[in-house]
Amino acid sequence: MKGFPLLCLPNVALQEVLSTMNPLELVFLSKTSLKAQKVAKFFSKQKPISQYSIILDFENPSLQIDGTTTKCLYDISNLKYMEGYLNNDDEYYVKYSKNHITALMEFARYVIEVFGWPVRQVQLNFGKFRNKNNSITDFLKIHVKNTDFCILDGDIIADRYASYFFKNFQVTVGIVLLSKMSANFRLILPQHIHYLDIQESDYITYDQINNFNFDVLKLCKTKITNQELNLFFKNWMASKSHINLRSFLISIENLEAFDTIADLPDVIKGDPKTVRILHREQVVGGCDIKRNDGTVATLYTKSGEDGNVDLILIVH
C-alpha cells in the first residue's frame, strides 16, 4: 500500500484496478484501513463486484465467493501451519482458528456488511457442531436474512434443530434434507419454495405429502405405501393436489410395485424399446397419464442408489 497509493487514484482508474482483483483480494484490501473499507463498500455497488454471491458452509467451515468467471474460498482450519494462501493460490485462503464457527461467522458478518453480497446457499450439519446449531441459526436470522438454497445434514435425530432453523430462517427456493428425524416428527416448511429433496423421509406420511405443493419433490427411504402412491397420482390427474408439480421422485420397494401404483385410468403405456428424452432425462418404457386439464406426465422407474428402485414422474 505504501509503495502504490492505490486509494489515491481517481475513481475511474480505481474502479478499473479493483475490477481486476478477485473477491478475496477485495476483502483483504478493505481490511487494511477505514478508508479502504469505505472505498470497497462504495465500489461494491458497481459491476463486476456487485455480481458476486456467497455460499456459507457450516459443515466444513468455509465461505465461498462466486462470480461469473471466478470462485474464491476462505477456509477455516485448526492447523496453524496451513494459514495463508494455499499453494500460492490467491483464490484459496486458509484461516487458522481454534473456534471454527465463531471465526466463520465473524468473517461472514464483515463481508456481508461491507460488500452486501447475497448468500445463495447455506450448508449445516446438525451433528458436527451440536452446541452451535441454534447460535448458527440466530446468526443467519440476523445477518443473512434469507438464502436461495439450504442443505441440512447430520447423523443425529435433528427434530428440534431443524424446527428451530425453519422457524427462524427463510429459504426461498430449495431445501435438501439429509439429516435424520424421529418417526413422529412433523415437518413444517415454507410453501413458497420450489424444490424439496428429503433423503431420510421415513417420517413423512401421506397426509404430509398432500400438503406439499412444490415444483420438484424427491423422497428417499420412504414408508409411503403403493396404494397411497396410486391415490397420489389419481389426485394429481383430478387436479386435487400438486398442481405446481413438475418432477417427482420417490423410492419404491421393487419393480413389481409399479403395476399397483400405475393402475390408473386411461394410461398409455410407453414402448419398452424406445428411448424418450424428457427434461434431459432418458426415459424407457413407463406410461403416460393425463390430468383433467390436458396436462400430460410420464411415469417410469429406474435403478436408484443402494440398489433401490426410483419411481419418477415428469410433467411435460
Side-chain angles (χ1 to χ4, degrees), residues 189-191 193-196 212-217 244-245:
L189 294 172
Q191 287 299 314
I193 64 171
H194 302 284
Y195 179 99
L196 177 63
F212 294 157
N213 192 23
F214 310 124
D215 295 357
V216 179
L217 179 60
N244 296 327
L245 192 65

Side-chain angles (χ1 to χ4, degrees), residues 200-233:
E200 301 281 347
S201 66
D202 53 347
Y203 59 92
I204 297 294
T205 65
Y206 176 72
D207 288 339
Q208 284 182 288
I209 289 182
N210 276 335
N211 290 324
F212 294 157
N213 192 23
F214 310 124
D215 295 357
V216 179
L217 179 60
K218 297 182 179 182
L219 300 173
C220 298
K221 300 179 182 177
T222 178
K223 290 184 178 178
I224 304 298
T225 67
N226 298 336
Q227 291 74 21
E228 288 171 331
L229 281 173
N230 176 261
L231 182 58
F232 174 93
F233 293 119

Side-chain angles (χ1 to χ4, degrees), residues 282-296:
Q282 289 190 345
V283 178
V284 179
C287 63
D288 287 351
I289 59 178
K290 183 182 289 188
R291 199 162 60 190
N292 59 4
D293 64 356
T295 302
V296 176

Side-chain angles (χ1 to χ4, degrees), residues 19-35:
S19 67
T20 65
M21 293 183 172
N22 71 45
L24 280 180
E25 292 171 330
L26 289 170
V27 173
F28 294 150
L29 172 64
S30 73
K31 283 176 166 285
T32 59
S33 69
L34 183 58
K35 182 178 181 181

Side-chain angles (χ1 to χ4, degrees), residues 13-293:
L14 182 55
Q15 182 179 2
E16 185 67 26
V17 173
L18 294 180
S19 67
T20 65
M21 293 183 172
N22 71 45
L24 280 180
E25 292 171 330
L26 289 170
V27 173
F28 294 150
L29 172 64
S30 73
K31 283 176 166 285
T32 59
S33 69
L34 183 58
K35 182 178 181 181
Q37 185 182 121
K38 290 180 178 178
V39 168
K41 196 166 189 174
F42 176 79
F43 283 105
S44 68
K45 308 297 186 294
Q46 313 296 321
K47 293 181 180 181
I49 301 172
S50 63
Q51 296 176 310
Y52 294 129
S53 61
I54 294 170
I55 295 175
L56 265 179
D57 187 347
F58 290 97
E59 180 173 9
N60 302 294
S62 61
L63 183 149
Q64 182 173 302
I65 307 172
D66 288 346
T68 54
T69 60
T70 188
K71 182 181 296 183
C72 293
L73 187 67
Y74 184 88
D75 203 2
I76 312 294
S77 173
N78 58 2
L79 301 175
K80 194 169 185 178
Y81 73 88
M82 292 284 290
E83 185 161 39
Y85 285 109
L86 188 65
N87 299 325
N88 295 317
D89 183 352
D90 63 3
E91 295 184 345
Y92 192 159
Y93 189 86
V94 178
K95 171 68 176 177
Y96 164 72
S97 177
K98 292 182 179 180
N99 193 328
H100 291 187
I101 299 301
T102 299
L104 177 59
M105 290 194 294
E106 288 176 351
F107 185 73
R109 180 171 58 245
Y110 177 83
V111 171
I112 292 168
E113 287 177 355
V114 173
F115 293 91
W117 294 326
V119 176
R120 299 299 187 196
Q121 180 176 303
V122 170
Q123 184 158 344
L124 176 58
N125 186 310
F126 291 127
K128 192 168 184 179
F129 300 99
R130 193 177 308 189
N131 63 332
K132 296 285 187 180
N133 286 333
N134 288 352
S135 62
I136 291 172
T137 299
D138 292 340
F139 168 83
L140 293 171
K141 177 183 178 181
I142 295 169
H143 298 285
V144 178
K145 313 298 185 198
N146 61 73
T147 190
D148 292 347
F149 289 92
C150 78
I151 302 172
L152 302 178
D153 202 350
D155 56 357
I156 62 171
I157 302 300
D159 295 19
R160 64 189 182 100
Y161 299 126
S163 295
Y164 189 79
F165 180 90
F166 289 123
K167 183 179 179 181
N168 290 281
F169 184 59
Q170 184 178 12
V171 182
T172 60
V173 178
I175 296 169
V176 177
L177 273 175
L178 308 174
S179 50
K180 298 178 183 293
M181 306 296 176
S182 66
N184 297 321
F185 180 65
R186 184 74 180 180
L187 182 64
I188 301 175
L189 294 172
Q191 287 299 314
H192 56 260
I193 64 171
H194 302 284
Y195 179 99
L196 177 63
D197 180 350
I198 306 179
Q199 291 296 306
E200 301 281 347
S201 66
D202 53 347
Y203 59 92
I204 297 294
T205 65
Y206 176 72
D207 288 339
Q208 284 182 288
I209 289 182
N210 276 335
N211 290 324
F212 294 157
N213 192 23
F214 310 124
D215 295 357
V216 179
L217 179 60
K218 297 182 179 182
L219 300 173
C220 298
K221 300 179 182 177
T222 178
K223 290 184 178 178
I224 304 298
T225 67
N226 298 336
Q227 291 74 21
E228 288 171 331
L229 281 173
N230 176 261
L231 182 58
F232 174 93
F233 293 119
K234 284 180 178 177
N235 286 338
W236 179 86
M237 294 173 74
S239 297
K240 291 182 179 179
S241 64
H242 301 90
I243 301 301
N244 296 327
L245 192 65
R246 305 299 303 170
S247 176
F248 176 54
L249 181 150
I250 189 167
S251 55
I252 59 176
E253 51 191 344
N254 51 49
L255 287 172
E256 289 70 28
F258 182 81
D259 293 334
T260 301
I261 297 167
D263 183 15
L264 300 164
D266 302 320
V267 165
I268 301 175
K269 292 187 177 181
D271 185 348
K273 298 180 180 179
T274 301
V275 178
R276 292 185 287 171
I277 304 299
L278 297 174
H279 295 196
R280 299 181 181 178
E281 292 286 337
Q282 289 190 345
V283 178
V284 179
C287 63
D288 287 351
I289 59 178
K290 183 182 289 188
R291 199 162 60 190
N292 59 4
D293 64 356

